[in-house]
Amino acid sequence: MKTFRFPLLLLSLAFLANNPTSAADAPKLNVLFIIADDLNTDLGCYGDPVVKSPSIDALAKRGVRFERAYCQYPVCGPSRASFMTSMRPNTTRVLTNAAANSQGGYNTSPHFRETLPDTVTMSQLFRRQGWWSARVGKIYHYGVPGQIGTNGLDDPPSWDHRVNPIGRDKAVEDTIFSLQPEAPLASRFGGVLSWKQMDGSPLEQTDGIGATEAIKLMEAKRDGPFFLAVGFYRPHTPYVATKEFYDLYPPQKIQLPAIPAGHREAGPVAAFASLKAQEEAMPDDLRRQAIQGYHASISMMDAQVGRVLEALDRLKLREKTIVVFTSDHGYHMGTHSLWQKNTLWENSARVPLIIAAPGMKQAGQSAAGVVEMLDIYPTVADLAGVPLAHPLQGVSLRPMLDNPTAIVKPAAFTQVRRAGYSGYSVRTVRYRYTEWEDGTAGTQLYDLTRDPGEFTNLAADPGHRAVVAEMKAHLARNWPPGVWTPGADEPMRGKKKKAK
């Protein structure tokens, strides 16, 4: 893969002008970075009335929760490479996940260092400045569940220490229900709806073991400073959780998402391209079982988050530690007739984001401004007083932590490549606008204030021409035509595909 260094050079002048420096005698704060996998913001976060997540809710009360936070690519690998480098996917050139193969392994997937070999990741920055840096579980991408227990597509320069937990959920894969039971084991679960209710203790599951290992590391490094990244595997498929969590959500009480008649038929086709045949064919009883498993996985993951946060308090580290909680992207679970990720709807692009830092004056508040996952890296560095090593494409959210009504950027951007379609989406506080193949495969505009479900497409409404023009301008500023090298994964924006 060709190496691109120009994105860093283009940002250098702005970096030199705005890079914060810290006082030499400033105390060094720890960083606890917790990330869930495939967590829908509306399920299990911020006091959801259905899904029980008391640990995440408690963290929200001691931090600032960002109500409009968005990933830059709604797929694990591209999103994780993006937020760990604070570079957009078209800068990292990571635009795909590793694909399972018929031999039970995973095909090679791009790594951001092939394009940006000299970039300094978030944890690597702290490591260079004297923090002990460790990873437990999934931070960079690897296949779930196939690569659980391995390093996957990790980045060794980011860490001093790595732990790859593996639990009973991995050992019983051949007993997990899957909508694609005849597929090879490697491709039967990760991208396919699948679930299982387990017996025994949640501490025997991969996430339970991961939480235990994270606690051990905090105990060993309590004198700090440390940068500890804890990556949980749930609620990613397969939705494996123990009985106590499944029992919280009886299937007969689960309500299926309401979808207006003709919604999918109205298109554009590209917006629904992630729907799989086996998902479309599910009867309602299986839909409820899938949702039950997803909800149970969220609650079990939340319990492990709670164990880590309780240890932080027990070790008297709360006032010495910046805590971040997020997910790599959102998830559908039946909304828009879709079930997983890889779309440019709100359910897939939006992520939970909570930041809690010592001395916060706005604890328990919510920030309504639009932010991106790119912004996590510069925010944590800013809060810790660590100077950046090179320019980043995100911005610090510290003004919003000080004043939740502050606005740090006008829009958030998400892109995707699915079933042959490239899509580019911009989200402001009020609207979402999406272009597929530069508008040639359809456009979408939704007023989220009046239509939070994104069911009424206003893109062709004469009364919204000015809004469409404004949103197109946002896209043009973020993705100007002709600035990318076209490739198999990402055709150049602004140029038509050649007819086959």
Side-chain angles (χ1 to χ4, degrees), residues 195 246 251 254 284-294:
W195 56 88
Y246 263 82
I254 291 175
D284 284 351
D285 63 329
L286 274 188
R287 295 172 191 266
R288 290 188 173 90
Q289 288 179 37
I291 293 172
Q292 178 194 31
Y294 184 72

Side-chain angles (χ1 to χ4, degrees), residues 314-325:
R314 172 174 57 81
L315 296 170
K316 303 186 185 307
L317 294 175
R318 182 192 287 201
E319 296 307 316
K320 301 177 182 179
T321 305
I322 300 162
V323 180
V324 178
F325 175 84

Side-chain angles (χ1 to χ4, degrees), residues 32 70 108 132 138 158 180 253 283 292 305 329 386 397 419-420:
L32 176 60
Y70 296 91
T108 301
W132 183 77
K138 181 179 177 180
S158 292
Q180 198 170 324
K253 294 185 178 181
Q292 178 194 31
V305 171
H329 46 71
V386 177
L397 303 179

Side-chain angles (χ1 to χ4, degrees), residues 64-87:
V64 170
R65 62 188 188 273
F66 293 84
E67 303 293 349
R68 294 183 177 91
Y70 296 91
C71 70
Q72 278 46 80
Y73 201 115
V75 178
C76 300
S79 178
R80 290 165 183 267
S82 178
F83 68 70
M84 287 300 290
T85 62
S86 191
M87 297 289 171

Side-chain angles (χ1 to χ4, degrees), residues 405-418:
T405 65
I407 301 294
V408 300
K409 56 177 51 177
F413 301 91
T414 305
Q415 65 186 95
V416 77
R417 174 81 173 156
R418 185 67 181 172

